Amino acid sequence: MAASSQAYRPERAILELGDGFYDPVAAADFPETKLRFRNDRAAAQIGLDALSDTDWLAHFGRFQPLPGSLDQPLALRYHGHQFRVYNPDIGDGRGFLFAQLRDDRGRLMDLATKGSGQTPWSRFGDGRLTLKGGVREILATEMLEALGVETSRTFSLIETGEALERGDEPSPTRSAVMVRLSHGHIRIGTFQRLAYHRDAENMQRLIAYVLRHYFGEEAGEDGAVRLLDHVVRGTAKLAASYMAAGFVHGVLNSDNINVTAESFDYGPWRFAPTWDPGFTAAYFDHAGLYAFGRQPEAIHWDAMQLAVALRAVSEAPPLIAVLDTFGEHYQPAVSNTVLWRLGVRPRDPESDRAVVQAVERGLRGETASIDRFFFDSFGGQVPESQGAAFDEARTILAAYQPRADRSHRYWHGDAPCSMLIDEVEAIWAAIDRDDDWAPLEAKVAAIRNMGEALG
C-alpha cells in the first residue's frame, strides 16, 4: 500500500472483545481478480481513495492486510431467528471482517466481505458470491443512500473467475468478491448467541464495546437498558425510512439487523412499484412475513429479541418499557422521512401525520407509482395529473413550506430515477451477455444525481 493519507485512521477495536467472538480465517485464493467497481466516494471518507487499482486489488481481492488494522480476517460468531425460527448454527459463512477504520466523521467503520471463501460457519455452502449478487448489492446500496436510508455502502466488487452452481438461477454463473463499508457488524444475533450460551460476562463486555465505540457512552449499571434504547430508536427510524423509500429488504432476520440500525446485507430486495402492503421481495417468503407493509412489525419483533437476550444481565421491566417506545419513535420518523422526500419542512406532529396518512391513502387509491408521485410532488405541490385521490394531500400540503426548489437538473427530466426489478435484470443481462458495464455505470451516476437533488 502506498503512503496513507492523513484521512486514513486504522483501528483494531474488535480485538478488545477477545477470541470468543470470532474465528481467524483466510480468504479464498481466487483464479483471477478483475476490478469491476470501486467506490471512491466512500473510499475518500476513510482515506483510501488514493489507492492505485493494483493496490486496491491486492487489499480487496487478495486481502493483504491494511497497515495498522487487523492482521488477519475474522469471521464473526452470531445466532439469529430466521423467519422466526431460532438458528444457533450460523455466523459469517461466506464473509469476514477484514479491517476497521475511522471515517471523516470519527465513526468506527468496518470493511467486511461477501463471497470471500469458506469459514467455520459455512456449513454446506461454498462461501462464494455470484457476480449478479454483487451487482444487485451495488444497485441497492446506491439507491438507498440516495433516498436517505442509513445503509452500508458497496465499497468494492471484484470478479474472481470461478463458475458457480446455484439452484435458483441459471448456472454456471460468474463469481465475485464484494467488500462493504459499514458502521459496524454487531447484530442482534450477536447478543442472542451469548444469551443462548448463558455467557453473562461476555454479554457485559459486548454491551460496553457497543456503547463505547458506537454511541460514545460508558456502560454503567444500566448499560443494557441504554443500549436497547439506542437500538429501538435507530431501528424505528430505519423501518420508517424503508417505507418512505418504497423498499422491501426481503430478509429481516435478527442476524440481519445491525445494532447501529444501519441497513445491510441485501439478498432478494425489491423496490415496490406501488403502495402495496402485501408486496414481497423473496420468492420463498410464502407467508409474506417480510412484506412491504409488515416491515415495521418485523423490525420491532427483532428488537424484541434483543430485549429477550439482554435479560441475561438486566431486569425485565425497564427493558419492556424501552421496547414499548418503538411506536412513538416510529410515527414521527415516518412523518420526517416522507416530508423529506416531498421536499417540504415539517410543521407540527398532528399536521405532519395527516400529510403522511393522506399521501398513503392517495397512493393506495390510485395505485400510483411511488417514485412518480414523489418526483412530481417534490416541493409540496401535487399536480392534478396525479388524480383526485390526492385532493386531501394537496389541501394539507398547501400550508407547508418547501425545503428546496426544483432547480436541480434532476427535476427537469421526464421521469424519476427508479429501481424496479425489470431494470435490475436488464442491467445484469448486459453484463452477463455482452460484458457491458456501461448500463450499470450510467445507473449509478443517475442515482447519485437524484441523491444530490434530494439533498
Side-chain angles (χ1 to χ4, degrees):
M1 177 176 171
S4 58
S5 72
Q6 291 183 341
Y8 176 70
R9 292 187 288 165
E11 286 280 357
R12 300 157 58 92
I14 193 72
L15 301 180
E16 295 174 14
L17 289 173
D19 58 13
F21 287 84
Y22 45 72
D23 296 275
V25 294
D29 184 13
F30 299 114
E32 62 185 29
T33 51
K34 291 182 180 179
L35 181 55
R36 296 303 195 181
F37 178 79
R38 58 176 282 170
N39 191 338
D40 282 322
R41 184 168 70 170
Q45 295 175 347
I46 54 173
L48 292 176
D49 52 317
L51 286 178
S52 68
D53 283 354
T54 299
D55 285 339
W56 191 281
L57 287 168
H59 291 302
F60 308 123
R62 299 300 179 189
F63 297 100
Q64 294 177 11
L66 286 170
S69 192
L70 302 178
D71 296 327
Q72 187 172 4
L74 304 174
L76 304 183
R77 301 176 182 178
Y78 49 85
H79 291 180
H81 278 88
Q82 299 185 309
F83 284 83
R84 304 280 167 95
V85 177
Y86 193 77
N87 189 346
D89 297 319
I90 54 177
D92 277 341
R94 58 172 174 166
F96 48 62
L97 176 60
F98 170 60
Q100 291 186 301
L101 313 93
R102 294 279 168 185
D103 72 1
D104 54 6
R105 294 160 56 188
R107 300 184 304 162
L108 180 64
M109 305 296 290
D110 288 353
L111 287 171
T113 64
K114 193 173 183 178
S116 49
Q118 291 179 314
T119 78
W121 308 104
S122 299
R123 293 178 289 170
F124 303 108
D126 61 12
R128 270 43 174 190
L129 171 69
T130 66
L131 183 62
K132 181 179 182 180
V135 168
R136 283 174 49 83
E137 188 135 346
I138 292 169
L139 293 170
T141 55
E142 290 286 336
M143 193 72 176
L144 288 173
E145 183 180 2
L147 289 172
V149 178
E150 289 291 333
T151 177
S152 66
R153 280 161 293 167
T154 307
F155 190 79
S156 171
L157 183 66
I158 293 170
E159 189 167 359
T160 54
E162 295 177 314
L164 303 181
E165 296 290 336
R166 292 292 185 266
D168 57 352
E169 60 184 85
S171 296
T173 189
R174 294 154 71 176
S175 59
V177 63
M178 190 193 82
V179 176
R180 73 164 66 97
L181 179 65
S182 185
H183 189 33
H185 280 80
I186 303 298
R187 302 156 162 86
I188 287 174
T190 313
F191 288 86
Q192 289 181 283
R193 174 181 167 272
L194 298 175
Y196 180 90
H197 290 296
R198 297 178 179 165
D199 189 348
E201 181 180 353
N202 271 328
M203 181 76 80
Q204 294 284 21
R205 182 175 289 117
L206 183 60
I207 291 168
Y209 174 88
V210 171
L211 286 173
R212 181 182 312 117
H213 290 293
Y214 297 114
F215 300 109
E217 301 175 7
E218 293 304 316
E221 293 184 3
D222 64 343
V225 176
R226 284 188 288 112
L227 170 64
L228 182 63
D229 184 57
H230 284 297
V231 174
V232 166
R233 289 172 184 269
T235 54
K237 183 179 178 182
L238 175 65
S241 68
Y242 277 177
M243 300 307 290
F247 180 70
V248 187
H249 184 283
V251 188
L252 292 173
N253 296 332
S254 61
D255 59 300
N256 282 343
I257 302 295
N258 189 330
V259 294
T260 62
E262 182 187 71
S263 180
F264 77 110
D265 202 13
Y266 301 100
W269 61 268
R270 295 276 188 96
F271 281 89
T274 62
W275 197 277
D276 175 7
F279 181 83
T280 57
Y283 69 88
F284 46 82
D285 187 4
H286 304 296
L289 181 64
Y290 298 142
F292 177 51
R294 296 184 67 184
Q295 290 182 120
E297 169 204 339
I299 291 173
H300 185 208
W301 191 91
D302 287 326
M304 199 181 309
Q305 305 321 301
L306 176 60
V308 171
L310 291 172
R311 278 286 289 111
V313 294
S314 174
E315 295 297 322
L319 295 172
I320 293 170
V322 169
L323 198 62
D324 286 346
T325 65
F326 185 93
E328 64 190 58
H329 296 308
Y330 173 76
Q331 291 300 332
V334 167
S335 296
N336 289 336
T337 52
V338 169
L339 292 173
W340 175 82
R341 199 170 177 192
L342 280 168
V344 298
R345 301 183 187 282
R347 292 186 66 218
D348 61 82
E350 185 175 351
S351 298
D352 296 346
R353 187 163 51 249
V355 170
V356 174
Q357 292 169 347
V359 166
E360 182 178 346
R361 281 192 290 269
L363 285 168
R364 286 195 189 194
E366 291 286 332
T367 60
S369 161
I370 295 173
D371 295 326
R372 182 88 241 182
F373 168 77
F374 283 111
F375 179 81
D376 289 348
S377 307
F378 188 82
Q381 295 192 6
V382 184
E384 294 299 325
S385 61
Q386 285 292 342
F390 292 100
D391 284 348
E392 182 186 5
R394 286 187 189 94
T395 300
I396 303 171
L397 281 168
Y400 278 74
Q401 295 297 315
R403 65 170 178 84
D405 60 29
R406 297 177 64 94
S407 62
H408 191 279
R409 61 188 181 277
Y410 172 71
W411 306 114
H412 300 161
D414 294 329
C417 180
S418 297
M419 185 54 66
L420 302 182
I421 188 62
D422 288 349
E423 185 173 8
V424 175
E425 292 295 332
I427 289 170
W428 167 246
I431 294 168
D432 187 39
R433 183 183 59 244
D434 303 318
D435 207 30
D436 181 3
W437 292 79
L440 174 66
E441 293 162 2
K443 190 63 184 182
V444 170
I447 293 169
R448 292 183 178 185
N449 182 53
M450 177 184 70
E452 289 177 5
L454 285 168

